[in-house]
């Protein structure tokens, strides 16, 4: 509908309920679609105001990076975003982040709504800091995270298995933000990504070992099949 011009650049999208009724889906589906569209640069979600269509540079290609490169960059960029947010955060912002952590902890933290809440948590912190450049950088990070298949697969393997640790780390970040402590907020966010990076290394090592074991088993089967004839 955006591409057809029904919702031109600058226009405000109808509310979740209206879109859900129009498209015959749930409001949760609409909310998840809007988060995905925001990560792809189609719309801007403004808390308390609505969802607006924005200009998107279709010719802009995402850089080809590894999940490890992306995580290292996140440890720098999002840690500073958290430190900045600590100086600007309001009680309403804290309630928003609390609700997102509750969603993340639901269903063991491993379902689609938990993944979306995780994304919203990080994007909200970038927005709360009030620096549009930082906010754009974090949105771009999530585009890479979601749209590049290899990065998405690596994150998917880790995030599916470490939901409890991930939820606890987000709670630590929130606790530092609640104290309005920039240093503690920066440290909590950086520790979150350090732990994630180590988990990714372990997951890659396990995947490599499983692949090697499978190759060895196949070689053994071929050898036995050959020598028995």
């Amino acid at each position: 509908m955006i591409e057809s011009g029904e919702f031109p650049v600058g226009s405000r999208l109808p509310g979740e309920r209206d879109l859900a009724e129009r498209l015959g889906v749930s409001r949760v589906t609409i909310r998840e679609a809007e988060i995905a569209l925001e990560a792809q640069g189609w719309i801007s979600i403004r808390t308390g105001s609505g969802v607006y269509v924005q200009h998107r540079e279709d010719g802009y290609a995402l850089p080809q990076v590894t999940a490890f490169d992306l995580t290292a960059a996140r440890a720098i960029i999002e840690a500073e975003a958290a430190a900045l947010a600590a100086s600007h955060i309001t009680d309403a912002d804290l309630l928003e982040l609390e609700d997102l952590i509750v969603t993340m902890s639901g269903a063991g933290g491993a379902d689609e709504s938990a993944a979306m809440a995780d994304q919203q948590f990080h994007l909200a912190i970038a927005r709360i800091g009030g620096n549009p450049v930082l906010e754009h950088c974090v949105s771009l990070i999530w585009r890479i995270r979601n749209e590049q298949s290899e990065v998405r697969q690596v994150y998917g393997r880790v995030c599916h298995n470490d939901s409890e640790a991930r939820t606890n780390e987000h709670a630590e970040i929130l606790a530092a933000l609640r104290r309005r402590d920039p240093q503690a907020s920066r440290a909590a966010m950086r520790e979150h990504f350090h732990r994630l990076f180590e988990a990714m290394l372990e997951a890659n090592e396990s995947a490599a070992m499983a692949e090697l074991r499978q190759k060895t088993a196949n070689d053994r089967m071929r050898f036995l099949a050959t020598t028995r004839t």
Side-chain angles (χ1 to χ4, degrees):
M1 288 186 287
I2 293 173
E3 287 183 312
S4 70
E6 182 173 348
F7 299 132
V9 172
S11 65
R12 184 178 182 276
L13 294 185
E16 287 179 2
R17 179 176 299 173
D18 291 341
L19 284 174
E21 292 177 356
R22 178 172 179 175
L23 299 175
V25 297
S26 70
R27 293 178 65 179
V28 172
T29 299
I30 294 297
R31 192 173 304 122
E32 292 175 352
E34 288 180 341
I35 293 170
L37 288 173
E38 183 178 42
Q40 295 171 26
W42 287 102
I43 62 175
S44 173
I45 301 175
R46 306 174 191 172
T47 303
S49 177
V51 181
Y52 295 85
V53 179
Q54 64 182 10
H55 176 70
R56 183 173 187 264
E57 297 181 4
D58 294 314
Y60 179 72
L62 293 174
Q64 295 297 312
V65 302
T66 69
F68 297 99
D69 288 333
L70 184 67
T71 305
R74 294 184 71 184
I76 299 170
I77 296 170
E78 295 201 48
E80 294 308 313
L84 185 61
S87 301
H88 294 79
I89 200 162
T90 66
D91 289 343
D93 295 328
L94 290 170
L95 287 174
E96 177 187 359
L97 296 177
E98 286 172 5
D99 288 343
L100 291 171
I101 290 178
V102 170
T103 302
M104 285 179 60
S105 63
D111 63 0
E112 187 64 26
S113 62
M116 287 295 176
D118 184 3
Q119 177 174 331
Q120 285 182 284
F121 184 91
H122 287 272
L123 292 174
I125 288 175
R127 185 196 71 238
I128 291 165
N131 185 310
V133 177
L134 261 181
E135 185 177 359
H136 175 76
C137 287
V138 176
S139 294
L140 179 59
I141 281 170
W142 277 94
R143 280 193 60 197
I144 298 172
R145 157 75 171 80
N146 293 331
E147 295 180 32
Q148 288 196 8
S149 59
E150 290 185 9
V151 174
R152 186 172 64 247
Q153 288 170 8
V154 173
Y155 268 83
R157 283 199 300 267
V158 173
C159 294
H160 182 74
N161 297 321
D162 72 346
S163 57
E164 183 177 354
R166 181 178 51 166
T167 301
N168 291 339
E169 288 159 8
H170 284 72
E172 289 293 328
I173 295 168
L174 176 59
L177 290 170
R178 186 179 287 112
R179 297 195 302 271
R180 273 79 174 181
D181 186 334
Q183 247 185 325
S185 299
R186 180 188 293 111
M189 183 67 81
R190 191 166 290 169
E191 180 60 28
H192 168 51
F193 288 118
H194 283 183
R195 201 275 314 163
L196 177 61
F197 191 89
E198 291 299 325
M200 288 165 53
L201 287 175
E202 291 180 9
N204 268 23
E205 183 178 3
S206 297
M209 290 298 296
E211 184 179 347
L212 179 59
R213 284 193 293 268
Q214 184 62 52
K215 182 179 183 301
T216 301
N218 292 340
D219 289 343
R220 180 179 291 111
M221 290 177 62
R222 284 197 299 270
F223 174 80
L224 292 175
T226 300
T227 57
R228 287 173 181 172
T229 58

